[in-house]
C-alpha cells in the first residue's frame, strides 16, 4: 500500500497529537521499550531554516519519562554529519538545563537519524551508538555507584549520556524479518505491505 513519505508526514501530520501513535510505534520498536510521546517541543534545534527545507526535517519530542528524542531525516550527503549529530544533542541538553540547575537535571537525549545516503562505511542498515567507560587494564565497564543509581534512577553510566541511532534506509535489502524491518521498509519505499503489523504502521496506512 502506497502512503505518504515519512519526512513529509513529520512536517505535516505527526505534530498532531492524534497521530502520535505512528511515531510512538517507530520509537518503541527501535528503542525496544514502550514509548509514549508527551509532547512535541519547539526548540532552537528543530526550527526550519532555508537549508532545512531541502536537507532535513527535525522533530524534538518528550516522552513519558521526560526524556528528549530528536528525530531527523537527512536526504543529502553531508561529510560532517556525525559532528552535526553531536552538536544537535549538545544544543538540546544545554537548552533544557536552566542556569543554576544541578547537572543531575541534564535530560537524557536520544538522537535518531533516518539517512537516505550512505552515511559512514558499514554494511548494516541500523546502527546504535552510546558512551561507555572501560578500564584500560581490566576492560571493566565503569558503573554507577549504589547512591547514583538511586538518585538518578539509572543502572549504567551509558544511560545518562546521549544515545544515537542511524537508520540507513537505502542500505536495506528489503528482506523483512521483524517489526523494525517493516518500519525500515516503509522508510525506504513509503509503502506498507498488507502483512505488516508493526506498531504505528496500521494507523499510517489510513493517512
Amino acid at each position: 500500500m502506497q502512503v505518504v513519505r515519512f519526512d513529509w508526514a513529520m512536517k505535516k501530520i505527526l505534530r498532531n497529537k492524534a497521530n502520535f501513535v505512528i511515531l510512538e510505534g517507530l520509537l518503541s520498536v527501535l528503542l525496544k521499550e514502550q514509548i509514549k510521546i508527551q509532547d512535541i517541543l519547539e526548540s532552537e534545534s528543530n526550527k526550519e531554516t532555508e537549508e532545512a527545507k531541502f536537507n532535513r526535517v527535525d522533530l524534538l519530542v518528550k516522552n513519558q519519562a521526560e526524556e528528549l528524542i530528536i528525530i531527523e531525516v537527512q536526504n543529502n550527503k553531508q561529510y560532517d554529519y556525525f559532528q552535526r549529530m553531536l552538536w544537535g544533542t549538545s544544543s538540546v541538553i544545554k537548552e533544557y538545563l536552566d542556569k543554576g540547575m544541578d547537572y543531575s537535571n541534564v535530560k537524557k537525549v536520544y538522537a535518531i537519524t533516518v539517512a537516505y545516503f550512505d552515511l559512514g562505511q558499514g554494511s548494516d542498515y541500523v546502527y546504535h551508538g552510546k558512551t561507555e567507560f572501560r578500564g584500560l587494564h581490566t576492560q571493566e565497564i565503569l558503573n554507577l555507584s549504589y547512591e547514583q543509581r538511586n538518585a538518578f534512577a539509572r543502572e549504567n553510566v551509558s544511560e545518562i549520556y546521549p544515545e544515537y541511532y542511524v537508520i540507513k534506509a537505502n542500505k536495506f535489502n528489503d528482506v523483512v524479518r521483524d517489526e523494525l524491518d517493516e518500519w525500515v521498509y516503509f522508510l525506504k519505499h513509503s509503502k506498507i505491505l498488507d502483512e505488516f503489523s508493526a506498531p504505528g504502521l496500521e494507523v499510517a496506512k489510513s493517512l
Side-chain angles (χ1 to χ4, degrees):
M1 177 178 179
Q2 188 80 31
V3 295
V4 298
R5 276 183 58 91
F6 185 69
D7 54 353
W8 185 89
M10 283 177 63
K11 293 178 72 173
K12 304 296 184 183
I13 297 173
L14 299 185
R15 290 178 181 273
N16 185 333
K17 196 175 185 68
N19 296 319
F20 281 2
V21 65
I22 299 173
L23 195 54
E24 288 171 348
L26 170 60
L27 297 177
S28 296
V29 169
L30 184 63
L31 274 56
K32 295 183 172 61
E33 62 177 285
Q34 190 65 37
I35 299 294
K36 289 294 183 183
I37 295 175
Q38 183 175 336
D39 203 4
I40 301 287
L41 305 175
E42 290 302 328
S43 165
E44 291 299 322
S45 64
N46 73 342
K47 290 180 180 177
E48 287 190 1
T49 64
E50 284 301 315
E51 180 186 4
K53 293 176 183 176
F54 298 101
N55 289 338
R56 67 182 186 180
V57 181
D58 280 340
L59 221 57
L60 177 63
V61 306
K62 181 170 63 175
N63 68 10
Q64 76 277 21
E66 299 286 316
E67 299 168 329
L68 303 176
I69 305 174
I70 304 168
I71 304 101
E72 183 172 34
V73 175
Q74 178 71 11
N75 293 303
N76 296 343
K77 190 170 186 176
Q78 183 173 340
Y79 288 104
D80 59 355
Y81 188 81
F82 288 114
Q83 288 90 333
R84 195 174 88 181
M85 290 166 58
L86 176 61
W87 179 87
T89 55
S90 301
S91 297
V92 167
I93 289 171
K94 181 179 178 182
E95 187 175 349
Y96 283 87
L97 185 69
D98 293 334
K99 186 175 181 180
M101 292 179 66
D102 293 337
Y103 292 121
S104 59
N105 292 299
V106 166
K107 297 286 189 183
K108 171 72 176 187
V109 177
Y110 295 92
I112 299 167
T113 293
V114 181
Y116 290 96
F117 69 99
D118 196 9
L119 175 59
Q121 186 175 17
S123 58
D124 210 327
Y125 52 94
V126 182
Y127 288 86
H128 175 219
K130 62 181 181 179
T131 300
E132 290 182 337
F133 295 87
R134 288 183 177 270
L136 293 180
H137 303 95
T138 64
Q139 294 301 304
E140 177 188 39
I141 295 177
L142 182 64
N143 292 314
L144 295 175
S145 68
Y146 175 78
E147 292 79 11
Q148 288 172 320
R149 290 198 299 269
N150 284 340
F152 308 146
R154 305 283 186 184
E155 291 294 322
N156 304 306
V157 176
S158 61
E159 294 178 66
I160 296 173
Y161 283 79
E163 294 186 40
Y164 300 88
Y165 289 85
V166 174
I167 301 174
K168 297 166 65 170
N170 289 352
K171 292 287 288 186
F172 182 52
N173 62 5
D174 294 344
V175 178
V176 178
R177 294 162 293 190
D178 53 28
E179 291 180 337
L180 179 57
D181 284 347
E182 292 181 10
W183 262 102
V184 179
Y185 186 96
F186 165 50
L187 294 174
K188 178 180 179 181
H189 296 289
S190 297
K191 292 181 180 179
I192 300 173
L193 302 185
D194 291 339
E195 62 268 26
F196 285 1
S197 59
L201 291 183
E202 188 64 36
V203 177
K205 285 182 182 180
S206 63
L207 297 179

